[in-house]
Amino acid sequence: MISRGDLLQQAEQILRRNDLGGYTAPSPRLYPHQWNWDSAFCAIGWAHLDWSRAVREIDTLLAGQWADGFLPHIHYNPEVTQGYQPGPEWWPDVPVRTLGERTSGISQPPVLPTAVYLIGMAQPDESVRRAWWARLIGPLRDLIVCYPRTRTVSASPLLVVVHPWESGADNSPRWDFAAGGSFAPSRPYRRADTRVVAAAQRPTDRDYDLYYYLIELIAGHRYDLRGYFPQTPFAVYDALFNAIWYRAARDVNRIAGVLAQPPAITEADLQRFKESYHQTLWNDGVRLFRDFNLKVNAQIPVDSVAGLGAISAGLADRAQAEAMIAAYLQRCRGYRLLPSVPPDQTGFEVDRYWRGPVWAQINWLVIRGLQELRLDRYATALADETLALAQRSGWREFYHARTGAGLGGEDFSWTAALVIDLLHRPSVLTGP
Ligand code: 2M8
């Protein structure tokens, strides 16, 4: 097992190696373009190494922002023409702000505003910090208000996630209700992922049929939820996406406050959102938040680590967070932490992608949330576990839920970036 000093050095090497100029590829062979939440996490790591490089990462991500503030899940690098599918041709006429930028037509958990807040706080020169925030507050405000404007239906303030890729947890068993529906696109597609990573660790072809079916449906309606909502088999309130948005909205408000500007989302609206989140997604029987299927108006009866997202967002108080994490850990005894799906859950697979393995960026979110709630015992154990996984198994996309062996993509950027953050800033309360 390598030392923590060497770990830091290796992590820095990974980020520098994956640095493709203005952005950090998540894992160059598997994911050569710029991904939305990956880049936000990478920027958090870069801020400790080279603050202006973190700023650049974010500028490049925001260059793919749409006219209405929407931030797509992939910002394509036009120089990379091979090695990832789907390419930009599957997403025609995306309404980007800057003509010529190529992006996907769906989003991802909006971690970016929280990254901008944290990176700003890591800048010791207050005037530099304020100037940077003053430059970004417009795009961030647009981003945060765009989702309530374009992704709500009926009276609920919760945000509708329209593609498994938007959740970030692509083939989670939570989405099996749709993947089992035999949906397939009208045009043929080819998979590039299984040439890089063993098929047994990736989503199935049936999952991919659904992914491409939804791409055609969404692009065919010009990315307008009102157009395809009646037809889509997939419209959910994802517990993690909604938690991350809530956290992001509060962080944009904090930045706005420093700049003596009005909040992006009013306190009253945040409160309404929080109440709705609890009313719609809380499941007392399992002491976890669940996702909600809008097509049948019911919670999805599948537990996953997404249900702990409330801990990282300030949506759960200390007592509730402790009950949630204790119950989750109890279900995962004998496994590495945190399995993305508890082992007793139907659909759990110990080594397949989002169906069980451990993910460093999810751990990081939960760790930071636990620290803010002063649940230090849990936070420290989880941080130690996360560092140990990288120390023993290297810089992987995810880790085997039982053995901790490294799986999926190699030289993975968010794992490196967040290990850097954990080592440089061990605690949100006492760290430098
Ligand atoms: C994975 O998703 C992409 C599609 O967005 C894929 O499998 O092709 C997910 O783990 C997602 O959360 C992540 O952002 C992306 C890049 O790391 O890979």
Side-chain angles (χ1 to χ4, degrees), residues 229-270:
F229 184 68
Q231 285 169 52
T232 184
F234 191 89
V236 301
Y237 295 138
D238 171 75
L240 184 64
F241 190 107
N242 275 275
I244 287 178
W245 177 87
Y246 177 83
R247 169 70 196 235
R250 287 171 51 231
D251 286 333
V252 174
N253 284 356
R254 289 212 258 188
I255 295 172
V258 171
L259 299 173
Q261 292 185 13
I265 306 287
T266 64
E267 271 310 312
D269 283 345
L270 284 175

Short mmCIF file of all heavy atoms in Angstrom, two decimals, residues 229-270:
data_model
loop_
_atom_site.label_atom_id
_atom_site.label_comp_id
_atom_site.label_asym_id
_atom_site.label_seq_id
_atom_site.Cartn_x
_atom_site.Cartn_y
_atom_site.Cartn_z
N PHE A 229 -43.01 14.62 -22.90
CA PHE A 229 -43.45 14.06 -21.61
C PHE A 229 -44.58 13.03 -21.76
O PHE A 229 -44.53 11.96 -21.14
CB PHE A 229 -43.85 15.17 -20.63
CG PHE A 229 -44.21 14.65 -19.27
CD1 PHE A 229 -43.25 14.10 -18.44
CD2 PHE A 229 -45.52 14.68 -18.82
CE1 PHE A 229 -43.57 13.59 -17.19
CE2 PHE A 229 -45.86 14.17 -17.57
CZ PHE A 229 -44.89 13.62 -16.76
N PRO A 230 -45.60 13.31 -22.59
CA PRO A 230 -46.68 12.31 -22.69
C PRO A 230 -46.19 10.97 -23.24
O PRO A 230 -46.77 9.94 -22.94
CB PRO A 230 -47.67 12.95 -23.68
CG PRO A 230 -47.33 14.41 -23.70
CD PRO A 230 -45.86 14.50 -23.41
N GLN A 231 -45.14 10.98 -24.03
CA GLN A 231 -44.70 9.74 -24.69
C GLN A 231 -43.57 8.99 -23.99
O GLN A 231 -43.38 7.81 -24.22
CB GLN A 231 -44.17 10.08 -26.08
CG GLN A 231 -45.24 10.39 -27.09
CD GLN A 231 -44.58 10.96 -28.33
OE1 GLN A 231 -43.66 10.38 -28.87
NE2 GLN A 231 -45.06 12.12 -28.76
N THR A 232 -42.79 9.71 -23.21
CA THR A 232 -41.57 9.05 -22.71
C THR A 232 -41.88 7.99 -21.66
O THR A 232 -42.76 8.18 -20.81
CB THR A 232 -40.58 10.08 -22.13
OG1 THR A 232 -39.39 9.37 -21.75
CG2 THR A 232 -41.13 10.80 -20.89
N PRO A 233 -41.14 6.89 -21.69
CA PRO A 233 -41.29 5.89 -20.61
C PRO A 233 -40.43 6.26 -19.40
O PRO A 233 -40.49 5.57 -18.39
CB PRO A 233 -40.75 4.61 -21.26
CG PRO A 233 -39.74 5.09 -22.26
CD PRO A 233 -40.24 6.43 -22.76
N PHE A 234 -39.62 7.33 -19.51
CA PHE A 234 -38.67 7.63 -18.44
C PHE A 234 -38.78 9.09 -18.00
O PHE A 234 -38.31 10.00 -18.68
CB PHE A 234 -37.25 7.32 -18.89
CG PHE A 234 -36.25 7.34 -17.76
CD1 PHE A 234 -36.00 6.20 -17.02
CD2 PHE A 234 -35.59 8.52 -17.41
CE1 PHE A 234 -35.09 6.21 -15.96
CE2 PHE A 234 -34.68 8.54 -16.36
CZ PHE A 234 -34.43 7.38 -15.63
N ALA A 235 -39.41 9.32 -16.86
CA ALA A 235 -39.48 10.65 -16.25
C ALA A 235 -39.51 10.43 -14.75
O ALA A 235 -40.47 9.87 -14.22
CB ALA A 235 -40.73 11.39 -16.71
N VAL A 236 -38.42 10.81 -14.07
CA VAL A 236 -38.30 10.48 -12.65
C VAL A 236 -37.84 11.70 -11.85
O VAL A 236 -37.20 12.60 -12.39
CB VAL A 236 -37.28 9.32 -12.43
CG1 VAL A 236 -37.71 8.06 -13.17
CG2 VAL A 236 -35.87 9.72 -12.82
N TYR A 237 -38.17 11.69 -10.57
CA TYR A 237 -37.51 12.58 -9.62
C TYR A 237 -36.37 11.78 -9.03
O TYR A 237 -36.59 10.90 -8.19
CB TYR A 237 -38.46 13.03 -8.51
CG TYR A 237 -39.64 13.87 -8.96
CD1 TYR A 237 -40.92 13.66 -8.44
CD2 TYR A 237 -39.48 14.90 -9.88
CE1 TYR A 237 -42.00 14.44 -8.83
CE2 TYR A 237 -40.56 15.69 -10.29
CZ TYR A 237 -41.81 15.45 -9.75
OH TYR A 237 -42.88 16.23 -10.13
N ASP A 238 -35.18 12.05 -9.50
CA ASP A 238 -34.01 11.35 -8.99
C ASP A 238 -33.57 12.01 -7.68
O ASP A 238 -33.41 13.24 -7.62
CB ASP A 238 -32.90 11.42 -10.04
CG ASP A 238 -31.58 10.90 -9.53
OD1 ASP A 238 -31.44 9.68 -9.41
OD2 ASP A 238 -30.68 11.71 -9.22
N ALA A 239 -33.40 11.19 -6.63
CA ALA A 239 -33.10 11.74 -5.30
C ALA A 239 -31.77 12.49 -5.26
O ALA A 239 -31.64 13.50 -4.58
CB ALA A 239 -33.12 10.63 -4.26
N LEU A 240 -30.79 11.99 -6.02
CA LEU A 240 -29.47 12.64 -5.98
C LEU A 240 -29.45 13.92 -6.81
O LEU A 240 -28.96 14.95 -6.37
CB LEU A 240 -28.38 11.67 -6.46
CG LEU A 240 -26.96 12.23 -6.37
CD1 LEU A 240 -26.56 12.51 -4.92
CD2 LEU A 240 -25.95 11.28 -7.00
N PHE A 241 -29.99 13.87 -8.01
CA PHE A 241 -30.02 15.06 -8.87
C PHE A 241 -30.72 16.21 -8.14
O PHE A 241 -30.23 17.34 -8.09
CB PHE A 241 -30.74 14.74 -10.19
CG PHE A 241 -30.62 15.81 -11.23
CD1 PHE A 241 -29.82 15.62 -12.35
CD2 PHE A 241 -31.32 17.01 -11.13
CE1 PHE A 241 -29.70 16.61 -13.32
CE2 PHE A 241 -31.22 18.00 -12.09
CZ PHE A 241 -30.41 17.80 -13.19
N ASN A 242 -31.86 15.90 -7.54
CA ASN A 242 -32.63 16.95 -6.87
C ASN A 242 -31.88 17.48 -5.65
O ASN A 242 -31.90 18.68 -5.39
CB ASN A 242 -34.02 16.43 -6.50
CG ASN A 242 -34.99 16.58 -7.66
OD1 ASN A 242 -35.59 17.64 -7.85
ND2 ASN A 242 -35.13 15.55 -8.49
N ALA A 243 -31.20 16.59 -4.93
CA ALA A 243 -30.43 17.04 -3.76
C ALA A 243 -29.29 17.94 -4.21
O ALA A 243 -29.02 18.99 -3.60
CB ALA A 243 -29.89 15.83 -2.99
N ILE A 244 -28.62 17.55 -5.28
CA ILE A 244 -27.48 18.34 -5.75
C ILE A 244 -27.95 19.71 -6.26
O ILE A 244 -27.30 20.74 -6.02
CB ILE A 244 -26.67 17.54 -6.80
CG1 ILE A 244 -25.89 16.44 -6.05
CG2 ILE A 244 -25.73 18.44 -7.59
CD1 ILE A 244 -25.07 15.53 -6.92
N TRP A 245 -29.11 19.75 -6.91
CA TRP A 245 -29.63 21.05 -7.35
C TRP A 245 -29.91 21.95 -6.15
O TRP A 245 -29.59 23.14 -6.15
CB TRP A 245 -30.92 20.89 -8.18
CG TRP A 245 -31.48 22.22 -8.56
CD1 TRP A 245 -31.14 22.97 -9.65
CD2 TRP A 245 -32.43 23.02 -7.81
NE1 TRP A 245 -31.82 24.18 -9.64
CE2 TRP A 245 -32.60 24.22 -8.51
CE3 TRP A 245 -33.12 22.81 -6.62
CZ2 TRP A 245 -33.48 25.23 -8.05
CZ3 TRP A 245 -33.97 23.81 -6.15
CH2 TRP A 245 -34.14 25.01 -6.88
N TYR A 246 -30.51 21.38 -5.11
CA TYR A 246 -30.86 22.17 -3.91
C TYR A 246 -29.58 22.75 -3.29
O TYR A 246 -29.52 23.94 -2.96
CB TYR A 246 -31.60 21.26 -2.92
CG TYR A 246 -31.96 21.92 -1.62
CD1 TYR A 246 -33.10 22.70 -1.51
CD2 TYR A 246 -31.15 21.75 -0.49
CE1 TYR A 246 -33.44 23.30 -0.29
CE2 TYR A 246 -31.48 22.34 0.72
CZ TYR A 246 -32.62 23.12 0.81
OH TYR A 246 -32.94 23.71 2.02
N ARG A 247 -28.57 21.92 -3.17
CA ARG A 247 -27.29 22.38 -2.62
C ARG A 247 -26.70 23.48 -3.52
O ARG A 247 -26.20 24.50 -3.05
CB ARG A 247 -26.35 21.17 -2.54
CG ARG A 247 -24.91 21.49 -2.24
CD ARG A 247 -24.83 21.96 -0.82
NE ARG A 247 -23.58 22.63 -0.58
CZ ARG A 247 -22.75 22.26 0.41
NH1 ARG A 247 -23.03 21.26 1.19
NH2 ARG A 247 -21.65 22.94 0.61
N ALA A 248 -26.78 23.25 -4.82
CA ALA A 248 -26.23 24.21 -5.77
C ALA A 248 -26.96 25.55 -5.68
O ALA A 248 -26.35 26.62 -5.72
CB ALA A 248 -26.32 23.64 -7.19
N ALA A 249 -28.28 25.48 -5.52
CA ALA A 249 -29.06 26.73 -5.43
C ALA A 249 -28.63 27.52 -4.19
O ALA A 249 -28.46 28.74 -4.25
CB ALA A 249 -30.55 26.39 -5.36
N ARG A 250 -28.41 26.82 -3.09
CA ARG A 250 -27.97 27.51 -1.87
C ARG A 250 -26.57 28.10 -2.06
O ARG A 250 -26.28 29.18 -1.56
CB ARG A 250 -28.01 26.55 -0.69
CG ARG A 250 -29.45 26.27 -0.25
CD ARG A 250 -29.55 25.15 0.79
NE ARG A 250 -28.67 25.37 1.91
CZ ARG A 250 -27.80 24.46 2.39
NH1 ARG A 250 -27.71 23.27 1.83
NH2 ARG A 250 -27.04 24.73 3.41
N ASP A 251 -25.72 27.39 -2.80
CA ASP A 251 -24.37 27.92 -3.01
C ASP A 251 -24.38 29.13 -3.95
O ASP A 251 -23.60 30.07 -3.77
CB ASP A 251 -23.45 26.80 -3.51
CG ASP A 251 -23.08 25.83 -2.37
OD1 ASP A 251 -23.08 26.27 -1.20
OD2 ASP A 251 -22.81 24.65 -2.65
N VAL A 252 -25.26 29.11 -4.95
CA VAL A 252 -25.37 30.30 -5.81
C VAL A 252 -25.88 31.47 -4.96
O VAL A 252 -25.38 32.60 -5.08
CB VAL A 252 -26.30 30.05 -7.02
CG1 VAL A 252 -26.53 31.34 -7.81
CG2 VAL A 252 -25.72 28.98 -7.94
N ASN A 253 -26.84 31.20 -4.10
CA ASN A 253 -27.34 32.27 -3.22
C ASN A 253 -26.23 32.82 -2.32
O ASN A 253 -26.17 34.03 -2.06
CB ASN A 253 -28.49 31.75 -2.34
CG ASN A 253 -29.79 31.63 -3.14
OD1 ASN A 253 -29.86 31.99 -4.30
ND2 ASN A 253 -30.82 31.11 -2.49
N ARG A 254 -25.36 31.94 -1.84
CA ARG A 254 -24.26 32.40 -0.98
C ARG A 254 -23.33 33.33 -1.76
O ARG A 254 -22.91 34.37 -1.26
CB ARG A 254 -23.44 31.21 -0.47
CG ARG A 254 -24.19 30.38 0.55
CD ARG A 254 -23.23 29.78 1.54
NE ARG A 254 -22.99 28.37 1.21
CZ ARG A 254 -22.32 27.54 1.99
NH1 ARG A 254 -21.79 27.98 3.11
NH2 ARG A 254 -22.14 26.29 1.65
N ILE A 255 -23.04 32.93 -3.00
CA ILE A 255 -22.17 33.77 -3.84
C ILE A 255 -22.86 35.10 -4.10
O ILE A 255 -22.25 36.17 -3.98
CB ILE A 255 -21.83 33.03 -5.16
CG1 ILE A 255 -20.99 31.79 -4.86
CG2 ILE A 255 -21.13 33.97 -6.13
CD1 ILE A 255 -20.74 30.87 -6.06
N ALA A 256 -24.15 35.03 -4.41
CA ALA A 256 -24.91 36.26 -4.68
C ALA A 256 -24.88 37.17 -3.43
O ALA A 256 -24.70 38.38 -3.55
CB ALA A 256 -26.35 35.92 -5.05
N GLY A 257 -25.00 36.55 -2.26
CA GLY A 257 -24.97 37.33 -1.02
C GLY A 257 -23.66 38.08 -0.85
O GLY A 257 -23.65 39.26 -0.50
N VAL A 258 -22.55 37.40 -1.13
CA VAL A 258 -21.23 38.04 -1.03
C VAL A 258 -21.15 39.23 -1.98
O VAL A 258 -20.55 40.26 -1.67
CB VAL A 258 -20.11 37.01 -1.34
CG1 VAL A 258 -18.76 37.70 -1.46
CG2 VAL A 258 -20.07 35.92 -0.27
N LEU A 259 -21.79 39.08 -3.14
CA LEU A 259 -21.74 40.15 -4.14
C LEU A 259 -22.85 41.19 -3.93
O LEU A 259 -23.05 42.05 -4.78
CB LEU A 259 -21.86 39.54 -5.55
CG LEU A 259 -20.76 38.56 -5.95
CD1 LEU A 259 -21.08 37.89 -7.28
CD2 LEU A 259 -19.39 39.25 -6.02
N ALA A 260 -23.57 41.05 -2.81
CA ALA A 260 -24.68 41.96 -2.48
C ALA A 260 -25.75 41.97 -3.59
O ALA A 260 -26.30 43.02 -3.93
CB ALA A 260 -24.16 43.37 -2.21
N GLN A 261 -26.01 40.78 -4.11
CA GLN A 261 -27.05 40.64 -5.13
C GLN A 261 -28.22 39.82 -4.56
O GLN A 261 -28.03 39.06 -3.62
CB GLN A 261 -26.49 39.91 -6.36
CG GLN A 261 -25.47 40.70 -7.12
CD GLN A 261 -25.05 39.97 -8.40
OE1 GLN A 261 -25.68 39.01 -8.81
NE2 GLN A 261 -23.97 40.43 -9.01
N PRO A 262 -29.39 39.93 -5.16
CA PRO A 262 -30.52 39.12 -4.67
C PRO A 262 -30.28 37.63 -4.93
O PRO A 262 -29.51 37.26 -5.83
CB PRO A 262 -31.71 39.62 -5.51
CG PRO A 262 -31.12 40.37 -6.64
CD PRO A 262 -29.75 40.82 -6.26
N PRO A 263 -30.92 36.75 -4.16
CA PRO A 263 -30.72 35.31 -4.35
C PRO A 263 -31.26 34.84 -5.71
O PRO A 263 -32.15 35.47 -6.27
CB PRO A 263 -31.51 34.69 -3.21
CG PRO A 263 -32.48 35.72 -2.78
CD PRO A 263 -31.87 37.05 -3.08
N ALA A 264 -30.71 33.71 -6.17
CA ALA A 264 -31.21 33.12 -7.43
C ALA A 264 -32.56 32.46 -7.18
O ALA A 264 -33.47 32.51 -8.01
CB ALA A 264 -30.21 32.10 -7.95
N ILE A 265 -32.69 31.79 -6.05
CA ILE A 265 -33.93 31.12 -5.65
C ILE A 265 -34.28 31.65 -4.27
O ILE A 265 -33.42 31.65 -3.37
CB ILE A 265 -33.71 29.58 -5.57
CG1 ILE A 265 -33.14 29.02 -6.89
CG2 ILE A 265 -34.99 28.86 -5.16
CD1 ILE A 265 -34.10 28.94 -8.05
N THR A 266 -35.50 32.09 -4.09
CA THR A 266 -35.86 32.71 -2.79
C THR A 266 -35.89 31.65 -1.69
O THR A 266 -36.06 30.45 -1.96
CB THR A 266 -37.26 33.35 -2.86
OG1 THR A 266 -38.22 32.31 -3.08
CG2 THR A 266 -37.35 34.40 -3.96
N GLU A 267 -35.74 32.12 -0.47
CA GLU A 267 -35.81 31.23 0.70
C GLU A 267 -37.15 30.47 0.72
O GLU A 267 -37.21 29.30 1.05
CB GLU A 267 -35.66 32.02 2.00
CG GLU A 267 -34.22 32.18 2.45
CD GLU A 267 -33.42 30.88 2.51
OE1 GLU A 267 -33.92 29.88 3.07
OE2 GLU A 267 -32.29 30.83 1.96
N ALA A 268 -38.21 31.17 0.36
CA ALA A 268 -39.54 30.54 0.37
C ALA A 268 -39.59 29.40 -0.64
O ALA A 268 -40.13 28.32 -0.35
CB ALA A 268 -40.61 31.58 0.06
N ASP A 269 -39.00 29.61 -1.80
CA ASP A 269 -39.00 28.55 -2.82
C ASP A 269 -38.11 27.38 -2.40
O ASP A 269 -38.42 26.21 -2.67
CB ASP A 269 -38.57 29.10 -4.18
CG ASP A 269 -39.70 29.88 -4.85
OD1 ASP A 269 -40.87 29.73 -4.41
OD2 ASP A 269 -39.42 30.64 -5.80
N LEU A 270 -37.01 27.68 -1.75
CA LEU A 270 -36.13 26.60 -1.26
C LEU A 270 -36.85 25.77 -0.21
O LEU A 270 -36.76 24.55 -0.19
CB LEU A 270 -34.84 27.18 -0.67
CG LEU A 270 -33.79 27.68 -1.67
CD1 LEU A 270 -32.63 28.33 -0.95
CD2 LEU A 270 -33.29 26.55 -2.57
#
